[in-house]
Amino acid sequence: MHSIQDRLPVSIIIANYNYARFLPRAIESALDQSHSDVEVIVVDDASIDDSADVIASYGGRIKAHMREANGGHGAAFNTGFAASRGAIVLFLDADDYLYPNAVSEIVARWEDDTAQMQFRLHIVDECEHVNDVFPPPEVPFESGDVTPQLLRRARYQTTVTSGLAFARSALDAIMPIPETEFRQGADGYLVTLAPLYGQVRSIDSCLGAYRIHGNNHSVFSEKLGQRARWRVEHDFHRLQALAAQAKNVGLEVSHDANLRDPTHLEERLASLCVDSRRHPVADDSRVALGAAGAVASLAMNVSLRRRAMLAAWFLSVGLLPLRMATAVLSWKLVASSRPAFLARLSKTIRHVTG
């Protein structure tokens, strides 16, 4: 006999732009799910590589939607969602992939009040060698009703696009995604607003792979200032969207919620240190951001040692001479910049503070 969960329809939406070399792995992983009712939708965002040929090769096994003009992450998500029918919806980046049991595990844990399910991913390279886990095992997910965290600091511990599943009812309430503000980072919009409409549930095992390679939007270590500015501005867009959506359900978000968020403050310090001339917040100071970061770190849901280490890091970046502060900052944000002894120490600290 099959349970009601076995019959839950699930949609996997793969958003692709110029990832023809990775796309077959993503599509095959979606088609190979052990769950009995999965539709696979592939949205191509006007790629100029061989993506169209890859997509055509799957024929009727997938639903293909070829956008005529490149619109970015948010536009591809909107296109795919409009074409979907699943009660549960996953958005899979075309350079990532799921394990065959992913949907079955999600559905087995799904409850009527679930708005979002999140799970860990193996970090792999271009050749699919596993290098790590994201988020790191020592960093606990925040689950249940995360609205208080959102209202207080506009963020909670979640994951990236390919480690998420959403209730259609929650997506109906928050989509379409604003395509200009979320041309990149559309998952940030979804994880910020979906929890207003139900519970967040977490799975600590890895149900897929998050591929890190030179062309990821999230990876441009040689352009640390550019990355930091984008993330700061993305956080402001998220906060604005959260404030508007919260108002719709009778809640209020503090205008300075970002100043209680260690992740935001980390990127804001990076932007200010690396390229102050183009920093998006004119009246910021390193001292003030470092102090705010230290306070915010001590309120995190991680071990006391980890909180203390992060608070000390914030104070160092806030108070040291600029050249030294920038070095300390880059050692944390860009692993490849660390001296060998510090790389070894970082691994030790990670295990000790887990």
Side-chain angles (χ1 to χ4, degrees):
M1 274 186 74
H2 295 289
S3 67
I4 292 174
Q5 279 94 342
D6 288 335
R7 298 191 295 272
L8 265 178
V10 176
S11 300
I12 300 177
I13 298 167
I14 301 173
N16 176 69
Y17 178 63
N18 286 345
Y19 276 162
R21 68 191 188 280
F22 300 131
L23 186 54
R25 183 69 173 96
I27 294 176
E28 294 291 346
S29 79
L31 291 172
D32 288 345
Q33 290 300 305
S34 58
H35 184 67
S36 60
D37 190 353
V38 177
E39 66 171 358
V40 179
I41 299 169
V42 181
V43 180
D44 184 75
D45 197 22
S47 295
I48 56 174
D49 63 359
D50 295 329
S51 293
D53 292 336
V54 172
I55 293 168
S57 72
Y58 286 90
R61 299 174 66 197
I62 63 175
K63 294 181 179 179
H65 291 267
M66 315 297 288
R67 290 179 52 85
E68 293 183 1
N70 179 263
H73 216 205
F77 280 24
N78 287 339
T79 299
F81 181 64
S84 70
R85 62 172 178 82
I88 301 173
V89 180
L90 289 78
F91 296 92
L92 176 63
D93 281 340
D95 51 341
D96 299 338
Y97 51 92
L98 298 171
Y99 298 149
N101 65 324
V103 171
S104 294
E105 293 289 332
I106 291 164
V107 169
R109 291 166 170 77
W110 202 266
E111 297 184 31
D112 289 344
D113 62 351
T114 304
Q116 175 181 309
M117 189 80 74
Q118 52 196 18
F119 49 92
R120 298 188 193 272
L121 298 165
H122 283 125
I123 296 178
V124 302
D125 60 21
E126 293 201 28
C127 298
E128 300 183 14
H129 297 138
V130 174
N131 295 320
D132 210 337
V133 172
F134 186 85
E138 67 272 17
V139 177
F141 277 128
E142 290 179 316
S143 306
D145 179 9
V146 302
T147 302
Q149 289 98 305
L150 279 170
L151 299 181
R152 186 175 68 84
R153 57 184 171 92
R155 197 189 303 269
Y156 58 99
Q157 184 56 56
T158 183
T159 186
V160 292
T161 302
S162 300
L164 298 163
F166 299 94
R168 183 170 210 88
S169 57
L171 295 181
D172 280 337
I174 65 176
M175 293 188 79
I177 299 168
E179 295 180 3
T180 300
E181 293 87 342
F182 296 96
R183 180 176 176 83
Q184 296 294 340
D187 53 333
Y189 174 88
L190 296 179
V191 297
T192 302
L193 303 191
L196 298 176
Y197 296 93
Q199 299 289 302
V200 173
R201 293 192 163 83
S202 304
I203 299 173
D204 272 325
S205 54
C206 291
L207 300 183
Y210 174 32
R211 199 188 305 256
I212 300 293
H213 55 91
N215 292 331
N216 289 72
H217 175 71
S218 57
V219 178
F220 35 102
S221 58
E222 74 282 1
K223 299 179 180 177
L224 182 58
Q226 177 185 337
R227 180 186 72 176
R229 282 195 307 278
W230 179 84
R231 289 184 172 175
V232 169
E233 290 164 355
H234 183 256
D235 281 349
F236 287 141
H237 290 316
R238 287 194 311 103
L239 181 60
Q240 184 178 31
L242 175 62
Q245 198 74 30
K247 187 175 181 180
N248 288 344
V249 296
L251 299 172
E252 185 176 353
V253 182
S254 172
H255 72 280
D256 63 349
N258 283 337
L259 294 178
R260 302 185 191 96
D261 172 23
T263 302
H264 173 81
L265 290 165
E266 184 177 288
E267 297 295 345
R268 203 148 143 184
L269 263 174
S271 171
L272 183 62
C273 287
V274 174
D275 192 348
S276 61
R277 290 177 301 174
R278 289 190 283 180
H279 181 63
V281 186
D283 58 351
D284 271 351
S285 74
R286 284 197 296 125
V287 172
L289 291 175
V295 171
S297 298
L298 295 175
M300 291 178 68
N301 181 30
V302 294
S303 70
L304 178 59
R305 287 176 179 173
R306 195 175 185 86
R307 280 180 278 162
M309 291 286 294
L310 189 56
W313 178 86
F314 269 111
L315 292 175
S316 297
V317 177
L319 297 173
L320 287 172
L322 180 58
R323 187 171 180 177
M324 293 176 63
T326 302
V328 171
L329 185 143
S330 67
W331 292 346
K332 181 178 187 301
L333 298 184
V334 185
S336 60
S337 72
R338 296 170 191 160
F341 81 91
L342 194 60
R344 291 192 295 271
L345 179 62
S346 176
K347 290 181 181 179
T348 302
I349 290 172
R350 176 175 171 180
H351 293 297
V352 169
T353 61

Coordinates of all heavy atoms in Angstrom, one line a residue, residues 147-148 151 196 242-253:
T147 N 10.3 32.9 12.2 CA 9.9 34.3 12.1 C 10.5 35.2 13.1 O 10.9 36.4 12.7 CB 8.3 34.4 12.1 OG1 7.8 33.6 11.1 CG2 7.9 35.8 11.9
P148 N 10.6 34.9 14.4 CA 11.3 35.8 15.3 C 12.7 36.2 14.9 O 13.1 37.3 15.0 CB 11.3 35.0 16.6 CG 10.1 34.1 16.5 CD 10.1 33.7 15.1
L151 N 12.4 38.7 11.9 CA 12.0 40.0 12.4 C 13.1 40.7 13.1 O 13.3 41.9 13.0 CB 10.8 39.9 13.2 CG 9.5 39.3 12.6 CD1 8.4 39.3 13.6 CD2 9.1 40.1 11.3
L196 N 7.4 33.0 6.6 CA 6.2 33.7 7.1 C 4.9 32.9 7.0 O 3.9 33.3 7.6 CB 6.1 35.1 6.4 CG 7.2 36.1 6.6 CD1 7.0 37.3 5.7 CD2 7.4 36.4 8.0
L242 N 11.2 41.6 2.8 CA 10.7 41.1 4.0 C 9.8 42.0 4.8 O 8.7 41.7 5.3 CB 11.8 40.7 5.0 CG 11.5 40.2 6.4 CD1 10.7 38.9 6.3 CD2 12.8 40.0 7.2
A243 N 10.1 43.3 4.8 CA 9.3 44.3 5.5 C 7.9 44.4 4.8 O 6.9 44.5 5.5 CB 10.0 45.7 5.5
A244 N 7.9 44.4 3.5 CA 6.6 44.5 2.8 C 5.8 43.3 3.0 O 4.6 43.4 3.2 CB 6.9 44.7 1.3
Q245 N 6.4 42.1 2.9 CA 5.6 40.8 3.1 C 5.1 40.7 4.5 O 4.0 40.2 4.8 CB 6.5 39.6 2.7 CG 5.7 38.4 2.4 CD 4.9 38.4 1.1 OE1 5.4 39.1 0.2 NE2 3.8 37.8 1.0
A246 N 6.0 41.1 5.5 CA 5.6 41.0 6.9 C 4.4 41.9 7.2 O 3.5 41.5 7.9 CB 6.8 41.3 7.8
K247 N 4.4 43.0 6.6 CA 3.3 44.0 6.8 C 2.0 43.3 6.3 O 0.9 43.5 6.9 CB 3.6 45.3 6.0 CG 2.5 46.4 6.3 CD 2.9 47.7 5.6 CE 1.9 48.8 5.8 NZ 2.3 50.0 5.2
N248 N 2.1 42.5 5.2 CA 0.9 41.9 4.7 C 0.3 40.9 5.7 O -0.9 40.6 5.6 CB 1.2 41.1 3.4 CG 1.5 42.1 2.2 OD1 1.1 43.3 2.3 ND2 2.1 41.6 1.2
V249 N 1.1 40.3 6.6 CA 0.6 39.4 7.5 C 0.6 39.9 8.9 O 0.5 39.2 9.9 CB 1.4 38.1 7.5 CG1 1.3 37.4 6.2 CG2 2.9 38.3 7.8
G250 N 0.6 41.3 9.0 CA 0.4 41.9 10.3 C 1.7 42.0 11.2 O 1.5 42.1 12.4
L251 N 2.9 41.8 10.6 CA 4.1 41.9 11.4 C 4.9 43.1 11.0 O 4.7 43.7 10.0 CB 4.9 40.6 11.2 CG 4.2 39.3 11.6 CD1 5.0 38.1 11.2 CD2 4.0 39.3 13.1
E252 N 5.9 43.4 11.8 CA 6.8 44.5 11.5 C 8.3 44.2 11.7 O 8.6 43.5 12.7 CB 6.4 45.7 12.5 CG 7.2 47.0 12.1 CD 6.8 48.2 13.0 OE1 5.8 48.0 13.8 OE2 7.4 49.2 12.9
V253 N 9.1 44.6 10.7 CA 10.5 44.3 10.8 C 11.2 45.6 11.1 O 10.9 46.6 10.5 CB 11.0 43.7 9.4 CG1 12.5 43.4 9.5 CG2 10.2 42.5 9.0

